[in-house]
């Protein structure tokens, strides 16, 4: 995943001097908008997804700067901090980010963080409880479509 992060942020210019500490509150609220849980499923934050994303971003890396600048942007977009906003306002902001240009921080933040949040969330067995997912029949492979029954 660390290599994927490097590729995902390639070409995005974020000056090192602009990076502030990552706002954990904004990051947790953001991943919970993407993966809120409910109907017996846990939220992303309750599974530690935000902490795992932050752990994948080494200090000084472009990915870390994207997290820093992205959470700072979330906290200043409507004042008072992203985590303190009502859920409907958070959803509107995230919807706007989804449509923002990929070459700009809000759009890149949305797409990269969504990719990581979904990946890290669904690797947890707790996130798949009750979902109609069948495991692949590995290591034996899929049965061939030919032959008698």
């Amino acid at each position: 995943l660390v290599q994927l992060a490097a590729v995902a942020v390639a070409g995005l210019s974020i000056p090192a001097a602009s990076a502030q500490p990552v706002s954990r509150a904004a990051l947790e609220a953001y991943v919970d908008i993407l993966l809120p849980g409910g109907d017996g499923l846990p939220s992303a934050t309750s599974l530690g997804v935000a902490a795992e994303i932050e752990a994948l971003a080494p200090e000084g890396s472009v990915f870390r700067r994207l997290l820093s600048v992205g959470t700072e942007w979330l906290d200043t977009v409507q004042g008072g901090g992203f985590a303190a906003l009502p859920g409907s306002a958070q959803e509107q902001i995230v919807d706007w980010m989804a449509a923002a240009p990929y070459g700009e921080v809000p759009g890149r933040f949305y797409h990269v963080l969504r990719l990581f949040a979904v990946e890290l969330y669904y690797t947890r067995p707790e996130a798949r409880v009750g979902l109609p997912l069948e495991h692949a029949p590995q290591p034996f492979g899929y049965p061939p479509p030919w032959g008698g029954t």
Side-chain angles (χ1 to χ4, degrees):
L1 284 176
V2 173
Q3 290 175 339
L4 179 60
V7 171
V9 296
L12 187 64
S13 177
I14 303 173
S18 68
Q20 301 294 317
V22 174
S23 168
R24 176 62 70 87
L27 185 58
E28 288 178 348
Y30 176 80
V31 297
D32 277 348
I33 286 295
L34 298 176
L35 299 158
D39 294 329
L41 295 175
S43 69
T45 297
S46 69
L47 291 182
V49 170
E52 285 187 67
I53 289 171
E54 194 171 353
L56 288 170
E59 287 294 331
S61 69
V62 177
F63 186 43
R64 182 62 162 222
R65 292 195 309 259
L66 176 64
L67 287 179
S68 172
V69 172
T71 57
E72 181 183 14
W73 182 87
L74 283 170
D75 277 343
T76 59
V77 74
Q78 254 191 336
F82 184 74
L85 296 173
S88 59
Q90 291 176 343
E91 289 173 5
Q92 287 178 336
I93 292 166
V94 172
D95 287 347
W96 181 87
M97 292 171 75
Y102 188 72
E104 301 293 327
V105 170
R108 185 75 59 104
F109 183 88
Y110 170 83
H111 289 286
V112 171
L113 271 287
R114 181 178 176 271
L115 173 81
F116 278 87
V118 168
E119 175 75 23
L120 292 169
Y121 181 82
Y122 285 108
T123 59
R124 302 295 196 90
E126 306 95 300
R128 299 186 308 267
V129 171
L131 295 178
L133 301 174
E134 293 186 28
H135 297 284
Q138 303 299 332
F140 305 112
Y142 291 95
W146 55 86
T149 55

